[in-house]
Amino acid sequence: MATERTFSILKPDATKRNITGAVNAVIEKAGLRIVGQRRIQMSKAQAEKFYEVHNARPFFGELVEFMTSGPVVVQVLEGENAIAKYREVMGATNPAQAAEGTIRKTFSESVGENTVHGSDSAENAKIEIAQFFQDSDIAD
Ligand code: CMP
């Protein structure tokens, strides 16, 4: 299996509750390495671009509002099979359906405020990383 990179966001509900370190501990315990990390305030334009594929969904406005409601931590995670591995570690989008031990089961309160984002494919990982990181911001 190849070493991959995936893109992660620790969402505003994580920064607000001061649990970014606790979430990072779960990420690292799963064998994923945080090779890029930056805490930012996402602009409305950045959030709209990032979630463009969801722009016809009824929750789009709410999603953009939430993602810009406070700081987020954008990350590049590296490891064997990192894209699928991180999705497993995050758990289901809806925390009510997430498996025991996953980030969303442990920390999330609702489907909207679900603590973390992770890329869903290698193609999207590349696009998402490029939206927030330059090569010089990443060191493995
Ligand atoms: P994420 O992996 O960041 O990608 C799209 C996001 O939309 C998803 O996580 C959820 O946070 C959010 N989302 C999905 N379904 C709903 C919903 N029904 N209501 C509000 N937000 C949602």
Side-chain angles (χ1 to χ4, degrees):
M1 227 170 269
T3 298
E4 287 177 337
R5 284 178 177 173
T6 192
F7 178 70
S8 161
I9 305 176
L10 310 188
K11 298 185 180 186
D13 65 296
T15 57
K16 190 172 175 189
R17 290 182 288 158
N18 207 24
I19 58 167
T20 61
V23 175
N24 277 349
V26 178
I27 289 171
E28 290 181 334
K29 197 158 182 224
L32 292 164
R33 189 169 287 272
I34 302 164
V35 297
Q37 179 166 253
R38 205 151 43 88
R39 182 169 168 123
I40 61 167
Q41 172 63 51
M42 224 186 251
S43 68
K44 188 163 183 266
Q46 275 177 315
E48 284 173 348
K49 183 175 171 217
F50 184 76
Y51 282 119
E52 205 169 17
V53 293
H54 297 301
N55 69 9
R57 304 277 191 103
F59 57 81
F60 182 69
E62 198 184 308
L63 178 58
V64 169
E65 195 174 317
F66 170 59
M67 292 301 289
T68 56
S69 67
V72 299
V73 178
V74 290
Q75 303 176 310
V76 180
L77 308 181
E78 189 176 272
E80 289 292 305
N81 207 17
I83 296 161
K85 165 84 70 73
Y86 189 43
R87 290 186 73 78
E88 197 182 309
V89 171
M90 289 193 299
T93 303
N94 186 346
Q97 284 152 18
E100 280 305 326
T102 61
I103 293 170
R104 286 168 172 159
K105 177 71 178 182
T106 307
F107 298 109
S108 307
E109 279 157 10
S110 69
V111 67
E113 304 198 4
N114 62 358
T115 317
V116 279
H117 166 84
S119 307
D120 62 6
S121 66
E123 190 191 354
N124 283 336
K126 214 168 178 181
I127 294 167
E128 292 174 0
I129 289 169
Q131 189 181 340
F132 292 97
F133 287 89
Q134 300 192 315
D135 285 347
S136 58
D137 296 327
I138 302 168
D140 54 12

